[in-house]
Amino acid sequence: MSTIRQTISDAFKGLSPGTIGLHHGDPSTYSHTLSVKTKNSSVKKKKVIQVPGRFYQHGSKTLYLDAKGVWENTALLLSKADALHIAGEIDRFSLSYHGDVKSNNEWLAMYGYNPTMSITFHDKHGKPVQKPMPGMACHNCGIVLPIQLIEIDHHMPQADGEYLYTVKTLRALGLTIAAGTGAKSTGIGNWGKFVIAVKERPFGTNPQLNLVADRNKWIPNDKGKAFLSLCAFAFSLNPFSIGMMALTSACRNSMLNLVPLCRTCNGNKSDYYKVIK
Ligand SMILES: [Zn+2]
């Protein structure tokens, strides 16, 4: 469990008002080459897609920090109360190990976990027998499997994905220019009490190339920029800090970024970047 809220709270406690560098976080897009199979061809083709860059950029602007929050000139961009609330939400959804999500009741309920299911086995005489076994569906293709066979996938990739999953988390918390439209983003106030529909995509195939279709979903708004800047400032106060990695690590293993998949759908590594919903 991460402690983003504690870090920010400590930073406010020891605060002497001053300026902090703006971490504006606009995505510097770069090209990523990807091998995919198209629908009408069994041949893998190389495609080049533009994906948001991974780094938080330092702008030349400075923001002003005091006991009330983060300011730009006379405009309060982010109040202390809001900052602590956002940090608390990031902590709440974060897991120290992504597999732990399988024992999180809210996450299980949202993905249609069925504790009273039964599965057909064959006995040693070759006869079908039903055995009770909790199960859940693959989010991609919808196949229902015993929970032991369900894999937990980082919707945004673990490698090279810091920007992606961090901004995805910020978006669910209302900190990007364009709001999230997926079930988790729109249902965050009702967390654990709704079911996320499976995609019903073909078994094992899932090329997704429209990652940056809406660029504004990937750009933090003023409040988001203020929050990133505040995090960078707060983490820099701790001599043992690993900087912004504390934030990005929390967002990587966030329940907002974890989906249940079957082996076949999860194993399709050519679809390295998958769309966020
Ligand atoms: Zn599947």
Side-chain angles (χ1 to χ4, degrees):
M1 190 63 75
S2 68
T3 54
I4 308 301
R5 190 183 187 281
Q6 189 62 52
T7 305
I8 287 178
S9 176
D10 289 346
F12 270 104
K13 272 181 207 158
L15 187 68
S16 52
T19 55
I20 55 179
L22 177 69
H23 287 244
H24 60 76
D26 287 356
S28 53
T29 53
Y30 66 98
S31 298
H32 182 81
T33 306
L34 176 81
S35 297
V36 291
K37 283 181 189 173
T38 57
K39 235 181 182 178
N40 304 319
S41 165
S42 57
V43 182
K44 281 193 172 183
K45 290 182 177 170
K46 296 268 186 206
K47 286 203 176 186
V48 176
I49 58 168
Q50 297 286 311
V51 296
R54 56 191 289 191
F55 299 112
Y56 303 99
Q57 300 163 355
H58 289 265
S60 54
K61 270 206 289 193
T62 52
L63 302 179
Y64 183 72
L65 182 70
D66 70 11
K68 287 184 182 170
V70 181
W71 302 73
E72 183 175 6
N73 299 318
T74 56
L76 181 65
L77 298 182
L78 177 72
S79 72
K80 178 186 172 184
D82 268 358
L84 292 177
H85 172 74
I86 291 162
E89 290 288 88
I90 292 171
D91 287 342
R92 173 183 159 212
F93 294 121
S94 177
L95 301 159
S96 46
Y97 170 64
H98 67 278
D100 291 348
V101 80
K102 272 192 179 180
S103 53
N104 183 284
N105 289 333
E106 290 179 328
W107 186 87
L108 288 173
M110 291 192 306
Y111 281 107
Y113 174 66
N114 182 353
T116 59
M117 209 175 80
S118 61
I119 298 278
T120 304
F121 282 70
H122 275 198
D123 66 13
K124 58 188 173 188
H125 306 294
K127 290 186 177 167
V129 288
Q130 296 288 312
K131 293 187 182 179
M133 189 163 282
M136 68 192 301
C138 167
H139 180 59
N140 189 52
C141 69
I143 190 171
V144 178
L145 294 172
I147 194 165
Q148 290 91 334
L149 298 184
I150 288 288
E151 301 185 2
I152 304 302
D153 184 44
H154 290 83
H155 210 159
M156 286 292 107
Q158 295 194 67
D160 292 337
E162 295 100 317
Y163 188 87
L164 303 175
Y165 46 69
T166 303
V167 176
K168 178 176 163 63
T169 302
L170 296 187
R171 184 168 65 231
L173 298 171
L175 299 179
T176 50
I177 293 174
T181 51
K184 286 178 178 175
S185 280
T186 54
I188 198 164
N190 200 26
W191 191 255
K193 296 184 178 62
F194 59 94
V195 173
I196 299 169
V198 302
K199 300 294 183 191
E200 273 192 61
R201 290 176 183 134
F203 187 51
T205 56
N206 180 24
Q208 294 291 345
L209 297 175
N210 54 344
L211 185 64
V212 290
D214 188 350
R215 187 177 163 86
N216 283 340
K217 281 187 170 180
W218 294 97
I219 301 176
N221 56 23
D222 283 351
K223 204 169 175 179
K225 291 172 187 176
F227 183 74
L228 288 171
S229 305
L230 178 62
C231 285
F233 168 76
F235 297 134
S236 72
L237 297 179
N238 182 340
F240 303 108
S241 170
I242 47 174
M244 291 297 266
M245 267 182 67
L247 177 67
T248 57
S249 298
C251 295
R252 182 179 64 241
N253 285 341
S254 171
M255 283 185 266
L256 298 167
N257 188 41
L258 299 174
V259 291
L261 293 181
C262 72
R263 173 89 286 269
T264 304
C265 290
N266 196 21
N268 192 351
K269 292 302 182 189
S270 66
D271 300 327
Y272 191 61
Y273 289 98
K274 293 176 181 172
V275 74
I276 291 178
K277 287 293 181 190

